[in-house]
Amino acid sequence: MPTFLPATHPRFRSVTSVLGTATALAACLTPITLLAQDQPSPQKTGSQEQGPQTNAAPIPLVPGEPTWDSFHGQLNAQKYSPLEQINADNVGDLEKVWEVHTGDVSDGHGDLPPTVWSATPVFANDTLYIGTPFYRILALDPGTGEEKWSFDTQSTLEALTQPALKNRGVAYWEAAEPDAGEACQKIVYLGTMDAQLFAVDADSGEPCASFADNGVLDVNQWNNTNAEWPLSLLQPPTVVGDHLILGWAGKDWAFEQAPPGNVFSINARTGEREWTFEVLPEEVREQSGTANIWTHMSADEELGLVYLPVSSPSPNYWGGNRTESAPLATSTTALDIETGEVVWSRQWVHHDIWDYDINSAPTLMDITVDGEEIPALIQATKMGFLFVVNRETGEDVWPIEERPVPGGDGSVEGEVYAPTQPFPTKPAPLLDQSEKPKIWALADAVSFGQCSALWEDLWYEGMYTPPTTQGEGALTYPDSSGGVQWGGVAFDPENQIAVVNTSHIVQYVKLYSREDYDKADSGSGNESGFSPQEGAPYGMRLEVARNWLGMPCWEPPFGELVALDMTTGDVKWRRPVGVTQQYGFFMPESWGSPTIGGPAITAGGIIFIGASMDAKVRAYSLETGEELWSDQAQAPSVSIPAVYEYEGRQYVAFIAGGNSILKDQVGDQVAVYALPK
């Protein structure tokens, strides 16, 4: 059965009345048989500390004017632009009109760790704002790329919680009623790996003295449980009215204990903390940790709700330290923006031991299903599922069923497995997890049966097969880097078409007793390799299923772009996306590419996306999926492109920074395209 939290907030009652259905309210409040280990407690998990009042007026779900002033373009995470100067007929004429190389790049062979740069350019205040992996802010002329100003946080360039210097960009805020002549009525924010949040004036680049400690907020001051590592601010804050909603990243794969995934609301003007939302129950916080929000969030200001994509608790692949109820972990959770109290929550993985973090902001959309207009939310997941619910109440749009899943094989002590997991009935899974992935005959043949031998040694009883100590371990598909990554779902509100890029990757995970781990560890890993899960009784090893040549052992395509008709939940079209590149060679287009990053959609009927291994940026037809244009970038563009209009001309901006999960190639390029004048 679905995992609901009961509605406790007055706003919930009001939005339910908007539905005009007493049945809906009754259904939501009806006691539901929940899994014992996942049953939510009706506690108020937000703690209000002080409450500076907001004066910003709510904005409509779909703004009337084209905006691209946040990580997803808009707070609804639709990544949609109503601009149509560039369309399917002329997109082939696109040309690069300017580019900038920031110089903030490292391949890891020198004194600095490698860089991972996934920033979405933010267009606001007639300026393009960009955060770099060296924790600098650049303010650029959007028509020429000329630098207006830059700000250097002088932050330490050490990989404190991550194996690389990472950055996903900046956030922008401006006062609804600015004080004339005063500085910092428009502010740009940038976080650092050591949890310092910087606020600078958007016009001048000067620090905002009125914000926290002369423009710097030490978020790590609130890291007081299992505080071995700082709360890294790699994702920009989500700006909702006058609130900065802060999540953070940590190091959940390395330790049993970790800081619990608390979320903070900060006053945008002053840096004062307004409320703290505690994801994990008190009885779990000391022996576990995380269940944090390390990616962006979305919000509906009219409803007064912010939507959190919540990750899994620590350690990633063993849960014997957290068998108590943790109903908000690996969930989508809706909070009251003003108080931080839970309005509703849906848990998408019970007792997560696969690192299936909810890793992208849910996309908010108004859709018409069977003649009924529904305020909906679609949550993409690492599992390749798309869960669609009513964003006011958390109720199903299409049925979401609890289905039995495999238990353990008895080799792992202390573990208590969830007997069922949620499965959506619509839309269909983005990839077929219903059976063991087929071995790719070509990879098997050239490796003289290495793939077949590996498949024989991997335990697999279907989706959610638990980690094991036996053989080569358990096969996991999709892998922990995700069916869908942080780019999430884009949405065309006019035609009610959703677009998402997905990766098809097989991994296998094995747990080792502490004694066996110490013998086996041949070097610590991050997204793959050995990881100690220090403090837990088991270390682990995670590998991509490849042969000795590096070829995937499973059949292509390795990545696809999928368009969905959201009035029916059916697939409109799907196609391989990008091209896999290995050892300098480009593979056939029909094989596609794993992807990191996300798409942007325009009213011109175009999908813009980078994200692929071949480091190309592309335009596809929204109607048919046909590739219409491409250009070569310096490195894979693992961010979301920005679409904006400046002085009557439409632009699309890509950041080509690379990500080691995808390919060992880094860049420092900002590439901006427009039609010829």
Side-chain angles (χ1 to χ4, degrees):
M1 295 297 289
T3 305
F4 274 102
L5 277 185
T8 57
H9 192 266
R11 188 183 300 278
F12 180 82
R13 294 193 292 273
S14 68
V15 297
T16 307
S17 67
V18 172
L19 284 177
T21 59
T23 302
L25 177 62
C28 188
L29 297 178
T30 298
I32 296 170
T33 304
L34 298 167
L35 301 172
Q37 70 274 21
D38 294 308
Q39 186 166 6
S41 59
Q43 60 189 349
K44 293 182 177 181
T45 48
S47 59
Q48 198 163 9
E49 290 144 16
Q50 46 194 321
Q53 296 300 305
T54 176
N55 63 2
I59 61 174
L61 181 65
V62 181
E65 299 294 327
T67 63
W68 213 274
D69 58 4
S70 64
F71 184 76
H72 290 116
Q74 313 87 27
L75 268 178
N76 55 31
Q78 290 184 357
K79 298 170 277 288
Y80 174 77
S81 173
L83 297 175
E84 51 189 4
Q85 189 178 90
I86 302 170
N87 56 50
D89 293 330
N90 61 26
V91 68
D93 298 328
L94 273 189
E95 60 182 23
K96 192 189 306 175
V97 292
W98 61 264
E99 66 178 310
V100 166
H101 290 270
T102 70
D104 292 0
V105 62
S106 167
D107 63 6
H109 290 96
D111 295 332
L112 296 176
T115 48
V116 169
W117 194 24
S118 314
T120 298
V122 167
F123 175 71
N125 194 31
D126 280 347
T127 304
L128 206 62
Y129 297 105
I130 294 169
T132 79
F134 285 6
Y135 308 110
R136 292 194 306 137
I137 304 173
L138 304 180
L140 306 177
D141 182 298
T144 66
E146 182 181 356
E147 185 175 300
K148 292 184 173 182
W149 55 259
S150 66
F151 175 80
D152 191 344
T153 63
Q154 301 287 331
S155 179
T156 178
L157 299 182
E158 296 180 46
L160 298 176
T161 67
Q162 306 286 317
L165 301 174
K166 291 185 178 181
N167 179 264
R168 295 199 181 95
V170 299
Y172 175 84
W173 167 87
E174 65 178 52
E177 298 177 0
D179 296 327
E182 296 293 325
C184 295
Q185 302 304 296
K186 303 171 184 175
I187 299 178
V188 180
Y189 308 90
L190 177 71
T192 65
M193 190 171 287
D194 58 355
Q196 306 298 301
L197 181 66
F198 288 79
V200 301
D201 185 284
D203 289 324
S204 68
E206 295 295 321
C208 291
S210 58
F211 182 88
D213 185 8
N214 288 315
V216 186
L217 175 65
D218 179 12
V219 177
N220 210 44
Q221 66 183 294
W222 303 318
N223 180 18
N224 48 25
T225 304
N226 303 335
E228 186 161 352
W229 304 97
L231 310 180
S232 293
L233 303 179
L234 309 177
Q235 180 76 36
T238 301
V239 181
V240 189
D242 287 348
H243 307 279
L244 308 180
I245 313 299
L246 288 183
W248 48 269
K251 202 169 185 177
D252 54 3
W253 64 89
F255 295 89
E256 176 190 30
Q257 296 175 316
N262 295 348
V263 177
F264 310 107
S265 177
I266 309 298
N267 183 273
R269 295 172 181 269
T270 66
E272 294 178 56
R273 186 169 55 164
E274 299 167 333
W275 49 257
T276 300
F277 169 62
E278 297 172 330
V279 177
L280 288 175
E282 184 175 1
E283 59 270 24
V284 176
R285 290 176 209 153
E286 295 290 341
Q287 70 267 25
S288 178
T290 62
N292 54 325
I293 291 84
W294 55 261
T295 187
H296 216 59
M297 309 163 211
S298 49
D300 185 332
E301 288 196 273
E302 193 68 34
L303 295 178
L305 300 179
V306 59
Y307 302 93
L308 314 183
V310 184
S311 78
S312 58
S314 66
N316 286 153
Y317 296 95
W318 179 75
N321 63 336
R322 45 182 167 88
T323 56
E324 302 92 340
S325 172
L328 303 181
T330 320
S331 75
T332 303
T333 295
L335 302 183
D336 184 300
I337 292 170
E338 299 296 333
T339 67
E341 293 182 0
V342 176
V343 176
W344 61 260
S345 181
R346 297 293 299 266
Q347 186 172 62
W348 303 127
V349 182
H350 306 314
H351 192 66
D352 187 352
I353 47 175
W354 301 270
D355 193 21
Y356 279 154
D357 304 338
I358 302 304
N359 61 352
S360 64
T363 302
L364 315 183
M365 55 183 66
D366 294 329
I367 56 177
T368 304
V369 178
D370 296 330
E372 181 185 2
E373 294 184 5
I374 300 174
L377 168 159
I378 185 170
Q379 179 66 72
T381 68
K382 285 185 175 183
M383 299 88 78
F385 289 144
L386 299 169
F387 294 102
V388 185
V389 299
N390 184 308
R391 70 174 179 275
E392 296 180 340
T393 65
E395 295 174 289
D396 298 359
V397 171
W398 291 287
I400 298 168
E401 300 174 347
E402 289 285 330
R403 297 176 185 170
V405 293
D409 62 358
S411 68
V412 180
E413 296 181 1
E415 195 62 272
V416 178
Y417 302 99
T420 65
Q421 296 286 355
F423 286 74
T425 56
K426 264 195 172 185
L430 294 171
L431 39 77
D432 184 4
Q433 322 99 320
S434 64
E435 57 184 16
K436 197 172 188 176
K438 291 183 173 59
I439 296 172
W440 189 16
L442 177 61
D444 199 36
V446 300
S447 63
F448 303 103
Q450 184 185 9
C451 293
S452 294
L454 176 62
W455 251 232
E456 285 293 320
D457 283 339
L458 294 177
W459 181 42
Y460 185 78
E461 291 190 352
M463 184 83 174
Y464 298 111
T465 298
T468 176
T469 64
Q470 304 301 303
E472 287 294 324
L475 184 147
T476 61
Y477 181 69
D479 74 321
S480 62
S481 63
V484 182
Q485 263 290 352
W486 59 75
V489 176
F491 180 67
D492 173 359
E494 297 297 325
N495 298 294
Q496 301 198 14
I497 297 172
V499 173
V500 61
N501 52 299
T502 180
S503 299
H504 304 184
I505 300 173
V506 175
Q507 287 182 320
Y508 54 102
V509 59
K510 181 176 181 177
L511 297 179
Y512 294 82
S513 68
R514 188 54 58 198
E515 180 181 4
D516 290 342
Y517 181 85
D518 292 340
K519 296 176 183 175
D521 183 8
S522 58
S524 61
N526 176 24
E527 285 82 9
S528 63
F530 286 90
S531 187
Q533 301 192 137
E534 198 170 301
Y538 297 96
M540 52 79 63
R541 179 171 65 108
L542 181 70
E543 299 287 351
V544 176
R546 291 180 288 208
N547 67 15
W548 65 274
L549 286 167
M551 296 175 66
C553 280
W554 66 98
E555 290 183 338
F558 307 119
E560 291 184 292
L561 194 63
V562 182
L564 302 156
D565 180 343
M566 292 305 297
T567 66
T568 62
D570 296 329
V571 171
K572 179 178 174 64
W573 53 258
R574 63 189 307 154
R575 56 155 297 148
V577 60
V579 171
T580 296
Q581 187 183 21
Q582 185 77 306
Y583 308 125
F585 297 101
F586 293 100
M587 305 303 164
E589 291 187 9
S590 62
W591 294 4
S593 167
T595 58
I596 293 179
I601 295 178
T602 77
I606 302 296
I607 304 164
F608 289 111
I609 188 171
S612 57
M613 288 182 71
D614 60 351
K616 283 190 173 182
V617 294
R618 290 179 165 84
Y620 294 95
S621 165
L622 179 62
E623 179 60 29
T624 65
E626 179 187 2
E627 182 178 318
L628 301 174
W629 168 86
S630 70
D631 193 37
Q632 188 70 48
Q634 181 190 16
S637 179
V638 293
S639 60
I640 299 165
V643 180
Y644 63 91
E645 182 181 51
Y646 179 66
E647 295 183 343
R649 195 179 190 191
Q650 181 181 343
Y651 299 84
V652 56
F654 294 89
I655 280 181
N659 188 306
S660 56
I661 299 175
L662 193 64
K663 184 184 182 185
D664 187 17
Q665 183 180 16
V666 296
D668 68 341
Q669 182 190 33
V670 184
V672 179
Y673 299 85
L675 295 173
K677 288 185 177 177

